[in-house]
């Protein structure tokens, strides 16, 4: 029987650290429950785009992120309920170690934080490959660290033998946390990785299907599915309504706080820093952060969204917000399509791995010229990370769109972390002064790192970055538009008027 989003059974799959097997267990559990005829709602804590692709493959439903830093704690429950509509059960894969969150922000955006916001029990996945009795101390520590987090069971991963399992179970008898599964190391469950984590599903569809099937088989064989479902049913009822794109657009307001904020890192050549929206103004404030009223009241416009193996990073809510604002969203593949969709009025190019496909992207000269012409016309173009690289003159020596007077190259240095940012320049996404939170995750460098009109002033580490030129907004920052729905409305309105 289908349940309401606020009461859908749910559990969070967490671990003491990265590499413990969360993705194997969470994805395998999703697939195993789906195979039993349940409608499973898949979710991922944090900003990661890759794991939700595997979740989607396992469940046949859109994988969705729950990020308390990018969207704010107050949206975690509503966004969860939105994704869980019509489902029998929800499985939430955690991020990193269970208590690891945004750096310097305490529990914010950690798996434990999200579990508390969802009133969900936690299943702790423990890599038991190099321990026996010590597992009890580890589990006891995690179970007692925060009394508001309820660890309802343990799944032991990478268990070597029957004797090893016996020792582990014996030790955990005294910890008061039941063992809900034991998984042996199975090589064919491993999924290939590279410089930014797992290889996305879109790049290895056939082999990814096999990997997910292997995960499901291992979880079905090694875990007590009935006990896991029973644990999920013990989750508390969530208060509040499910998130809705149209309602979010209609009610969006700029974020305001009364405390002063540090000055923005804006070069003196750009003049004074824009007003900081964290400071409550004395006079009337705009209805929305984009300065526009209403949502989706004009004629429909076509917004092309880059997809395919090279551009796999996108939050589902972005397309939903664009649609609610009055756009017809059409996905195209820059690796294969030589033309933009018919009637394209605006272009969104999200994240992905253009560095892996630089030669193929470069060889599609017809599309590169269309993208350049669209940008030259002043049409709205929003590009994040991979999209930023695609708009550069070249990437690792391969000619690309040439929209931006910048070059991109691979780097050995990983840039990773949450960012607090403020729009420096008016753009197709936001008025100057709009504050948003973002996330960076790349091993590339763009030179120069910003244009005459930068996109964002980043508060830590302090710098400006990105480009605002004509209708182009290009930046390394990944943002979640559910936190500022006016971004989508402003973009669609600019599509109508450009």
């Amino acid at each position: 029987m289908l349940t309401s989003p606020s009461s859908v059974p749910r559990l969070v799959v967490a671990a003491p650290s990265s590499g413990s097997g969360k993705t194997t267990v969470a994805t395998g559990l999703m697939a195993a429950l789906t195979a039993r005829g349940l409608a499973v709602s898949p979710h991922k804590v944090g900003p990661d785009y890759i794991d939700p692709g595997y979740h989607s493959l396992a469940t046949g439903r859109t994988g969705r992120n729950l990020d308390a830093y990018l969207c704010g704690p107050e949206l975690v429950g509503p966004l969860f309920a939105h994704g869980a509509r019509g489902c029998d059960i929800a499985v939430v894969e955690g991020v990193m170690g269970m208590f690891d969150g945004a750096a310097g922000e305490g529990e914010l955006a950690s798996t434990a934080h999200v579990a508390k916001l969802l009133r969900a029990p936690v299943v702790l996945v423990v890599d038991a490959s190099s321990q026996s009795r010590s597992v009890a101390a580890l589990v006891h520590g995690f179970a007692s660290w925060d009394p508001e987090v309820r660890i309802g069971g343990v799944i032991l991963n990478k268990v070597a033998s029957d004797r090893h399992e016996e020792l582990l179970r014996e030790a955990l008898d005294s910890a008061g946390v039941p063992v809900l599964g034991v998984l042996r190391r199975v090589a064919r469950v491993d999924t290939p990785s590279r410089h930014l984590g797992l290889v996305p599903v879109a790049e290895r569809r056939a082999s990814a299907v096999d990997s997910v099937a292997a995960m499901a088989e291992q979880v079905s064989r090694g875990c007590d599915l009935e006990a896991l479902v029973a644990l999920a049913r013990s989750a508390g009822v969530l208060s509040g309504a499910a998130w809705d794109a149209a309602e979010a657009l209609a009610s969006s307001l700029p974020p305001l706080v009364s405390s002063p904020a540090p000055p923005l890192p804006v070069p003196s050549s750009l003049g004074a820093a824009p007003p900081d929206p964290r400071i409550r103004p004395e006079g009337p404030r705009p209805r929305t952060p984009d300065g526009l009223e209403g949502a989706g009241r004009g004629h429909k416009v076509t917004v092309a969204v880059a997809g395919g193996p090279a551009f796999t990073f996108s939050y589902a809510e972005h397309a939903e917000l664009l649609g609610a604002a009055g756009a017809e969203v059409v996905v195209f593949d820059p690796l294969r399509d030589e033309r933009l969709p018919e009637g394209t009025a605006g272009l969104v190019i999200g994240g992905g791995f253009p560095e892996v496909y630089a030669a193929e992207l470069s060889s599609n000269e017809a599309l590169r010229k269309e993208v350049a012409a669209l940008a030259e016309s002043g049409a709205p173009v929003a590009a994040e990370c991979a999209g930023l690289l695609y708009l550069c003159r070249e990437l690792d020596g391969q000619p690309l769109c040439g929209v931006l007077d910048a070059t991109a190259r691979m780097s050995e240095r990983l840039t990773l972390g949450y960012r607090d940012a403020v729009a420096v320049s008016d753009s197709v996404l936001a008025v100057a002064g709009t504050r948003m939170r973002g996330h960076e995750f790349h091993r590339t460098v763009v030179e120069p790192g910003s244009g005459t009109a930068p996109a964002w002033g980043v508060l830590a580490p302090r710098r400006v970055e990105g480009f605002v030129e004509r209708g182009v907004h290009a930046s390394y920052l990944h943002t979640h538009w559910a936190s500022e729905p006016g971004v989508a409305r402003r973009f669609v309105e600019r599509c109508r008027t450009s």
Side-chain angles (χ1 to χ4, degrees):
M1 177 181 293
L2 299 181
T3 58
S4 66
S6 61
S7 61
V8 64
R10 57 197 175 276
L11 55 81
V12 174
V13 177
S17 65
S18 296
S20 299
K22 291 190 303 293
T23 299
T24 295
V25 171
T27 306
L29 180 59
M30 292 172 189
L33 295 177
T34 299
R36 291 194 166 200
L38 295 177
V40 180
S41 181
H43 303 266
K44 170 68 179 179
V45 177
D48 176 65
Y49 295 96
I50 298 175
D51 289 344
Y54 286 87
H55 300 168
S56 181
L57 195 60
T59 64
R61 297 178 63 91
T62 301
R64 294 178 183 271
N65 295 73
L66 300 172
D67 195 310
Y69 186 92
L70 292 184
C71 295
E74 69 280 359
L75 275 183
V76 168
L79 286 171
F80 167 82
H82 170 61
R85 280 191 177 102
C87 287
D88 302 307
I89 192 169
V91 177
V92 181
E93 180 184 345
V95 61
M96 300 186 294
M98 188 169 78
F99 296 106
D100 300 328
E105 299 283 352
E107 72 171 3
L108 178 64
S110 67
T111 302
H113 186 206
V114 170
K116 290 194 285 188
L117 292 170
L118 295 180
R119 304 187 67 194
V122 174
V123 176
L124 190 69
V125 179
V126 176
D127 179 352
S129 59
S130 300
Q131 59 184 315
S132 57
R133 189 167 180 264
S134 296
V135 73
L138 185 152
V139 171
H140 172 75
F142 271 80
S144 60
W145 177 261
D146 184 343
E148 294 182 42
V149 178
R150 178 164 61 98
I151 295 182
V154 175
I155 293 176
L156 300 171
N157 191 28
K158 302 180 183 178
V159 176
S161 64
D162 291 343
R163 177 56 178 162
H164 188 200
E165 178 181 342
E166 182 181 340
L167 292 172
L168 294 167
R169 286 184 177 274
E170 182 180 284
L172 285 168
D173 281 344
S174 62
V177 181
V179 176
L180 301 182
V182 176
L183 306 183
R184 303 294 170 87
R185 184 186 296 274
V186 179
R188 68 193 182 100
V189 173
D190 291 339
T191 53
S193 300
R194 59 173 177 235
H195 57 285
L196 293 183
L198 296 180
V199 176
V201 165
E203 298 185 44
R204 53 182 300 263
R205 187 79 186 185
S207 57
V209 169
D210 292 340
S211 294
V212 170
M215 294 177 198
E217 180 184 352
Q218 189 181 22
V219 168
S220 296
R221 187 173 61 248
C223 296
D224 186 340
L225 295 185
E226 286 73 19
L228 288 165
V229 171
L231 179 63
R233 288 176 176 154
S234 71
V237 175
L238 295 177
S239 59
W243 182 86
D244 177 83
E247 292 177 2
L249 284 172
S251 61
S252 60
L253 291 170
L256 298 171
V257 299
S258 55
S259 60
L264 302 178
V266 180
S268 58
S269 61
L270 297 179
D276 191 326
R278 293 170 294 177
I279 303 175
R280 186 173 299 279
E282 296 298 327
R285 63 180 179 176
R287 168 62 179 158
T288 64
D290 53 21
L292 302 171
E293 295 287 347
R297 295 180 180 176
H299 61 279
K300 282 277 187 181
V301 291
T302 298
V303 173
V305 176
F311 297 97
T312 56
F313 294 2
S314 179
Y315 297 125
E317 291 81 6
H318 289 199
E320 292 167 352
L321 284 165
L322 288 169
E328 179 183 358
V329 177
V330 182
V331 179
F332 71 104
D333 183 352
L335 288 176
R336 297 177 176 84
D337 296 326
E338 295 184 347
R339 301 287 307 275
L340 290 169
E342 186 69 28
T344 293
L347 175 61
V348 176
I349 316 172
F353 291 98
E355 61 269 30
V356 176
Y357 296 96
E360 293 93 329
L361 291 169
S362 181
S363 68
N364 192 347
E365 186 176 1
L367 183 64
R368 290 194 288 114
K369 288 181 176 179
E370 281 218 359
V371 170
L374 183 75
E376 182 65 29
S377 75
V381 178
E384 287 186 348
C385 199
L388 165 66
L389 305 184
Y390 187 55
L391 296 184
C392 288
R393 289 198 314 273
E394 62 178 49
L395 169 57
D396 286 336
Q398 297 286 346
L400 289 179
C401 293
V403 171
L404 304 174
D405 187 17
T407 61
R409 58 178 173 81
M410 285 291 293
S411 168
E412 294 183 359
R413 179 175 178 269
L414 174 64
T415 300
L416 169 67
Y418 285 121
R419 304 289 185 252
D420 206 1
V422 179
V424 174
S425 312
D426 284 343
S427 73
V428 296
L429 294 184
V431 295
T434 299
R435 179 176 178 177
M436 291 190 72
R437 283 181 159 179
H439 184 263
E440 280 190 274
F441 188 35
H442 58 89
R443 287 188 185 270
T444 58
V445 174
V446 169
E447 296 170 331
S450 62
T452 304
W456 299 109
V458 179
L459 300 181
R462 296 178 66 83
R463 70 190 193 281
V464 293
E465 74 92 45
F467 302 78
V468 173
E469 298 179 7
R470 298 181 301 276
V472 175
H473 183 286
S475 163
Y476 264 125
L477 263 63
H478 294 289
T479 58
H480 200 304
W481 293 0
S483 69
E484 288 289 354
V487 166
R489 174 175 36 242
R490 182 177 177 87
F491 186 83
V492 172
E493 287 297 329
R494 295 304 183 270
C495 289
R496 292 192 178 107
T497 58
S498 64

